[in-house]
Amino acid sequence: MPGQSAIVTIDSFYARRLNNERRILVYLPPGYEERTSKRYPVLYMHAGQRAFEPAKPGTESWNIHKAADRLIEEGIIEEIIIVAIAHVRPVTSNEYYHFVAPAAEAKHIACTGLDYEHFIIRDLKPYIDRRFRTLPDPANTGLIGSSAGGLSTYHIGFRNPDVFGKLIMLSPYFVKAWLDENGEAKLGEETLYRPYTDKLPLKLWFDIGDAEGLFLPRHVRGVVDRLVAAGYRYGEDIGYLLKPDAAHQEADWGERVHIPLIFMFGKTPGRVAAVELLGRDSAALKGMKTQINAVARYDNGLELSVLNGDYRVQDPEVLEVLPDGTVKPKREGETAVTLTVDGVEATRTYRVVNELSEFVNVAMSVEVPPESAPAESIYGGMGMKLMRDGDGRYAGRFLVPRDTGYRFRFTRGFRRFETAADGSALPNRAFRAAEDLVLHYKVERWEEKAVDSPERRSHADQTF
């Protein structure tokens, strides 16, 4: 029987153009030491300091090695090597930004993504291919990243299809969004990615949770739709999942990382075992638009959102459902909708109402411990800045997109989270803005020390 998997640590690996060093952690699959003639596909992973274990006590990890171990042991995926690249967070640059930083950061953050790309391709990959028994061709070489690491994966991969043939992007930071109650759209948006619409020899995975606040699913879905239109075959060249109740954090990415691993490295195609119609079960004649999130679950553990479905409506005078899941209301009433995927059916009743506003009001107040020098503001859910409103109290009112979900802990600076009274990590607070809300919270204690300096803050880091 093959032996156990192992993780090899390479300290102080030097990046020439970046002129910095970092730790590299290499996962070797079970049997690597015994099968001395076998070569393996390689998956390069950004933010590798959180790949296999928490970056510090009380924080979260992907535990991607445990997912790989299980899938390999069960014979679902082939054996792979995972190269986890620790992130270096300089004060004046961001390695995950290739071409543009959000405007709020651009004055003090340079984009060093091209140099980071050079480091992976010219410094790290040749070393890995020399030291370990790899399959170095593009079809067997992948990149995986989340958030800004997903943005980096997108740019590096599409720029270098002769190096990387598999790209996994979880919750990619394609668009910076912020609440803008004074703007006509009530939401500010800033695109951070360059569009690549040529059909390249790539296999692509995109996903997003529906509880990631202003990391909106439509930002990712739009990229997927354009790539499918460019010729990528859905379910073969490209996969997409809108994951219910998943937030923008390591624990949630770790909980679903087995899904893209199956999509990329699965030994055999799975069969559809179940279909579920998710999301809002009502649509409106005026205001908010409804799109069904139909998810097909396979017997090998794969999950895919259905982008081109065969929907049947019991009463077509009430509503119509387009193949992409968009609900087209016609009159008020109720009707059953059925979707069939590879012979497996799911049915749900949908209701048409007269009107649903696109945005809802969220009023939030927080009690905090007494402080000698209280901060003027703290942060709640993504983009929610609460201002000091008297001793030990912060408050804010926000107009947010209806149905957006939020899972978060309060912070008073870069990764300076609230904790339990004994200093232990708290579970996330959560709410979904399906209607107007008035929320009251109490912070028991703040972390005593920040992990990193506030100047190094990047995109929405103040909230996760």
Side-chain angles (χ1 to χ4, degrees), residues 306-327:
V306 179
L307 303 192
N308 188 20
D310 178 18
Y311 291 93
R312 301 193 311 277
V313 179
Q314 186 179 50
D315 186 349
E317 293 185 358
V318 173
L319 61 83
E320 175 189 1
V321 181
L322 303 182
D324 68 357
T326 298
V327 178

Side-chain angles (χ1 to χ4, degrees), residues 328-381:
K328 306 286 285 185
K330 296 181 178 179
R331 66 169 174 81
E332 293 186 52
E334 289 188 353
T335 185
V337 173
T338 300
L339 171 66
T340 303
V341 181
D342 292 346
V344 179
E345 289 189 350
T347 299
R348 192 181 187 194
T349 298
Y350 286 84
R351 178 169 56 97
V352 174
V353 299
N354 181 53
E355 186 171 4
L356 280 171
S357 62
E358 293 186 40
F359 289 78
V360 298
N361 290 288
V362 175
M364 185 182 297
S365 62
V366 188
E367 293 180 50
V368 302
E371 298 180 89
S372 58
E376 286 303 309
S377 63
I378 64 173
Y379 287 87

Side-chain angles (χ1 to χ4, degrees), residues 88-135:
V88 174
R89 195 188 297 273
V91 173
T92 58
S93 68
N94 190 311
E95 296 178 347
Y96 294 158
Y97 293 158
H98 264 65
F99 307 111
V100 60
E105 300 176 44
K107 292 181 180 179
H108 60 275
I109 294 291
C111 302
T112 53
L114 291 171
D115 291 337
Y116 178 67
E117 174 184 309
H118 176 274
F119 156 66
I120 295 175
I121 295 174
R122 303 300 179 189
D123 297 337
L124 181 60
K125 187 177 186 297
Y127 172 84
I128 294 296
D129 289 337
R130 288 194 305 269
R131 177 165 174 181
F132 301 98
R133 299 193 307 278
T134 69
L135 293 168

Side-chain angles (χ1 to χ4, degrees), residues 371-405:
E371 298 180 89
S372 58
E376 286 303 309
S377 63
I378 64 173
Y379 287 87
M382 295 280 187
M384 294 185 177
K385 184 177 182 179
L386 293 92
M387 302 304 296
R388 188 165 172 246
D389 187 30
D391 291 341
R393 188 174 183 273
Y394 292 81
R397 301 183 69 89
F398 311 98
L399 193 65
V400 304
R402 186 186 290 271
D403 285 349
T404 47

Side-chain angles (χ1 to χ4, degrees), residues 158-348:
F158 273 90
R159 284 169 46 82
N160 299 278
D162 57 330
V163 179
F164 302 101
K166 301 178 188 293
L167 307 181
I168 300 175
M169 292 149 282
L170 292 84
S171 308
Y173 187 39
F174 284 156
V175 176
K176 176 181 172 62
W178 63 94
L179 303 177
D180 181 10
E181 296 185 21
N182 297 319
E184 184 176 349
K186 307 302 181 187
L187 195 70
E189 298 185 352
E190 185 179 356
T191 299
L192 303 178
Y193 69 93
R194 285 190 176 177
Y196 297 102
T197 55
D198 292 338
K199 176 64 172 67
L200 300 173
L202 295 170
K203 190 167 186 178
L204 308 169
W205 175 267
F206 299 85
D207 67 29
I208 188 78
D210 77 348
E212 299 196 26
L214 298 182
F215 285 81
L216 299 175
R218 63 178 171 81
H219 296 152
V220 180
R221 175 69 183 265
V223 173
V224 172
D225 287 343
R226 287 189 288 274
L227 290 169
V228 170
Y232 290 87
R233 298 165 297 174
Y234 191 69
E236 297 182 39
D237 302 325
I238 187 170
Y240 166 76
L241 177 64
L242 173 54
K243 187 68 173 176
D245 299 320
H248 197 85
Q249 57 193 15
E250 282 81 9
D252 292 81
W253 298 320
E255 283 180 6
R256 69 176 186 265
V257 72
H258 65 284
I259 301 172
L261 290 181
I262 293 169
F263 184 75
M264 291 296 179
F265 301 103
K267 286 186 173 181
T268 58
R271 293 185 177 183
V272 176
V275 178
E276 193 170 2
L277 304 181
L278 302 167
R280 172 172 288 276
D281 63 359
S282 61
L285 295 169
K286 294 181 288 185
M288 176 186 181
K289 307 301 181 185
T290 295
Q291 186 172 43
I292 298 171
N293 178 30
V295 175
R297 296 188 171 90
Y298 293 72
D299 57 7
N300 62 356
L302 180 65
E303 298 179 26
L304 286 171
S305 286
V306 179
L307 303 192
N308 188 20
D310 178 18
Y311 291 93
R312 301 193 311 277
V313 179
Q314 186 179 50
D315 186 349
E317 293 185 358
V318 173
L319 61 83
E320 175 189 1
V321 181
L322 303 182
D324 68 357
T326 298
V327 178
K328 306 286 285 185
K330 296 181 178 179
R331 66 169 174 81
E332 293 186 52
E334 289 188 353
T335 185
V337 173
T338 300
L339 171 66
T340 303
V341 181
D342 292 346
V344 179
E345 289 189 350
T347 299
R348 192 181 187 194

Side-chain angles (χ1 to χ4, degrees), residues 14-170:
Y14 182 64
R16 288 175 292 166
R17 283 193 183 175
L18 291 165
N19 191 29
N20 60 26
E21 297 179 344
R22 73 197 67 219
R23 174 178 290 186
I24 307 296
L25 302 167
V26 182
Y27 165 89
L28 301 175
Y32 181 88
E33 295 298 334
E34 293 83 3
R35 298 170 181 160
T36 56
S37 62
K38 182 176 175 62
R39 293 186 170 272
Y40 298 84
V42 182
L43 180 63
Y44 290 84
M45 180 175 178
H46 305 300
Q49 71 276 14
R50 295 188 288 270
F52 308 123
E53 59 185 20
K56 70 162 193 164
T59 60
E60 297 164 336
S61 162
W62 288 53
N63 287 312
I64 191 173
H65 59 307
K66 295 181 181 179
D69 280 349
R70 178 181 66 81
L71 294 172
I72 291 169
E73 181 181 354
E74 294 176 3
I76 295 174
I77 68 169
E78 56 187 317
E79 296 94 337
I80 61 172
I81 294 171
I82 301 173
V83 179
I85 308 164
H87 183 35
V88 174
R89 195 188 297 273
V91 173
T92 58
S93 68
N94 190 311
E95 296 178 347
Y96 294 158
Y97 293 158
H98 264 65
F99 307 111
V100 60
E105 300 176 44
K107 292 181 180 179
H108 60 275
I109 294 291
C111 302
T112 53
L114 291 171
D115 291 337
Y116 178 67
E117 174 184 309
H118 176 274
F119 156 66
I120 295 175
I121 295 174
R122 303 300 179 189
D123 297 337
L124 181 60
K125 187 177 186 297
Y127 172 84
I128 294 296
D129 289 337
R130 288 194 305 269
R131 177 165 174 181
F132 301 98
R133 299 193 307 278
T134 69
L135 293 168
D137 61 297
N140 288 290
T141 305
L143 270 175
I144 180 172
S146 63
S147 193
L151 175 67
S152 175
T153 294
Y154 172 87
H155 282 137
I156 293 175
F158 273 90
R159 284 169 46 82
N160 299 278
D162 57 330
V163 179
F164 302 101
K166 301 178 188 293
L167 307 181
I168 300 175
M169 292 149 282
L170 292 84

